[in-house]
Amino acid sequence: MVKPEAVLSREEILRRTELFIREQLAGDSSGHDWWHIARVRASAMVIGRAENADMYVVELAALLHDVADWKFHGGDDSAGPKAARAWLESLAVEGEAIDQVCEIIATISFKGAKVATPMHTLEGRVVQDADRLDAIGAVGIARTFAYGGHAGQAMHDPTLAAEAHATFADYKSKRTTTINHFHEKLLLKDRMNTTAGRRLAEARHAFMETFLRQFDNEWNGRS
Ligand code: NI
């Protein structure tokens, strides 16, 4: 018979979850590696404290928000919440926290610039902001090129116009380039949920605009 384990402290649950995720994402080269998770957690802690969020839910959700992305799960949006629920239940995390974390994971993935993904809780808005911050700025630029290479996309092709996708299906199916992705990312600044997140997004947004201007100048032999 399996002896029931003693109730784990929140610190221990967070520690084991971090180890679990580090192991799951080891070797990922698509831009959703462990260091993405570590950066999202760091930003989420800063934003969450500023916004008086429940930091336990924020940290768990930040750690688990891409739990199923490493496989790209064949487009199955429910793979992430399912994997997170199984993991948290195995640690006997209280049901309410599991529900909150899983709802955040189900809602968070980027589905195209025009597809709204409203978060119902403050904790969700915090983690979503932290995830969006990692898509912009210097790190966002590096991740976009890393992902483009992984997906076999051209870096830039002036004949393929940038477009904001109206549906998730559209976003998944259209051929595009890495530079075109930037134009969708430039819309993120105005979609930040929280005051703290918006403030952090400003500088990263400005840096990306500078980068794009310089890229365009070099592409056209102007500098
Ligand atoms: Ni993410």
Side-chain angles (χ1 to χ4, degrees):
M1 219 203 314
V2 182
K3 251 173 86 186
E5 217 178 330
V7 175
L8 300 173
S9 68
R10 289 184 162 192
E11 288 70 28
E12 183 60 16
I13 286 166
L14 289 165
R15 195 186 69 82
R16 290 193 192 188
T17 301
E18 175 177 332
L19 288 176
F20 168 68
I21 287 297
R22 290 182 89 119
E23 213 167 88
Q24 293 287 309
L25 301 180
D28 177 283
S29 61
S30 71
H32 287 87
D33 60 1
W34 157 251
W35 297 111
H36 163 63
I37 307 301
R39 292 187 303 268
V40 169
R41 175 172 63 176
S43 297
M45 300 307 271
V46 170
I47 299 169
R49 285 196 190 102
E51 302 284 332
N52 282 320
D54 176 339
M55 297 309 293
Y56 179 55
V57 170
V58 164
E59 191 168 356
L60 276 180
L63 283 170
L64 288 163
H65 82 273
D66 280 333
V67 67
D69 259 28
W70 59 292
K71 287 194 219 170
F72 290 104
H73 52 83
D76 176 5
D77 294 340
S78 66
K82 264 189 225 154
R85 181 170 296 277
W87 169 252
L88 295 172
E89 281 176 353
S90 79
L91 299 179
V93 170
E94 56 273 44
E96 202 187 320
I98 296 182
D99 289 346
Q100 281 181 280
V101 169
C102 289
E103 202 218 312
I104 294 171
I105 298 169
T107 316
I108 205 161
S109 62
F110 182 65
K111 297 185 168 71
K114 280 187 179 166
V115 184
T117 47
M119 278 290 177
H120 302 299
T121 61
L122 172 61
E123 290 69 28
R125 290 192 282 276
V126 166
V127 177
Q128 190 175 50
D129 274 5
D131 197 35
R132 285 175 171 168
L133 279 175
D134 208 51
I136 60 177
V139 167
I141 291 169
R143 285 181 70 212
T144 310
F145 283 107
Y147 177 79
H150 177 86
Q153 282 167 2
M155 180 173 79
H156 182 45
D157 180 346
T159 65
L160 288 177
E163 55 181 318
H165 303 292
T167 67
F168 185 38
D170 222 25
Y171 174 69
K172 283 196 291 192
S173 69
K174 288 279 172 66
R175 194 167 139 251
T176 188
T177 67
T178 300
I179 284 292
N180 280 349
H181 274 310
F182 280 78
H183 297 282
E184 299 210 330
K185 285 166 182 288
L186 289 173
L187 301 173
L188 286 175
K189 177 176 69 82
D190 297 324
R191 298 188 59 191
M192 300 301 284
N193 302 301
T194 65
T195 309
R198 216 167 293 125
R199 195 172 39 76
L200 289 166
E202 295 285 343
R204 298 186 187 210
H205 181 89
F207 184 82
M208 258 192 346
E209 286 189 318
T210 303
F211 174 84
L212 278 174
R213 252 194 320 274
Q214 178 74 11
F215 188 96
D216 189 58
N217 282 342
E218 292 180 17
W219 191 274
N220 292 294
R222 286 195 296 265
S223 61

